[in-house]
Amino acid sequence: MTVAIRTLAAAFALVALGCGTSSPPEYSVLSGTVTREGRPLAGIVVTFDPVPGASAKGNRAEGMTDERGYYALRTANLDREGIQRGTYRVTLRMAGGESRTPPLPREYTIPSRSPLENVVVDRDPQTYDIAVVRPPVARAGR
């Protein structure tokens, strides 16, 4: 009888471990600047989209640059400061369809062609500065 009780207790413990709640996702405060030829770019929407199949299971996060080129991300659909940790592809676009001379290089505005790919968000706080160049140079990581 004792063996049966021990077996039952062990089975219950295993089920309880398997049904435990998972920890909430980790978020990082991420900010940076967007520049071109060393000058800040204002009115640029910076978008971080999770890379499919990578560690990013989060949602899109965006920020808009101010007159100093500074942006800080917010997770769009959660209205939350920061971004879930993971791997992202970054795109840029002009806010409100403003015209700019010279315009942003097209590659920065198209997710499948953006040179800002595989950006890893893994610490808090984190800075990601973007120097817009033509032609764009792929920049991985941090």
Side-chain angles (χ1 to χ4, degrees), residues 26-112:
E26 290 186 82
Y27 279 78
S28 294
V29 173
L30 190 144
S31 61
T33 57
V34 180
T35 58
R36 183 175 195 160
E37 297 175 0
R39 292 187 291 268
L41 291 179
I44 301 294
V45 177
V46 181
T47 304
F48 278 61
D49 282 307
V51 173
S55 63
K57 297 175 180 70
N59 299 296
R60 170 182 283 192
E62 292 184 335
M64 187 163 69
T65 60
D66 62 15
E67 67 279 349
R68 298 171 296 139
Y70 175 82
Y71 72 94
L73 293 181
R74 292 191 72 76
T75 298
N77 67 338
L78 298 177
D79 192 31
R80 175 192 176 120
E81 180 183 28
I83 184 170
Q84 188 173 339
R85 294 183 184 184
T87 305
Y88 292 84
R89 177 178 297 261
V90 181
T91 54
L92 307 175
R93 66 179 164 81
M94 292 177 278
E98 296 176 25
S99 62
R100 184 176 309 280
T101 305
L104 287 170
R106 187 168 165 80
E107 293 84 356
Y108 287 93
T109 66
I110 303 169
S112 63

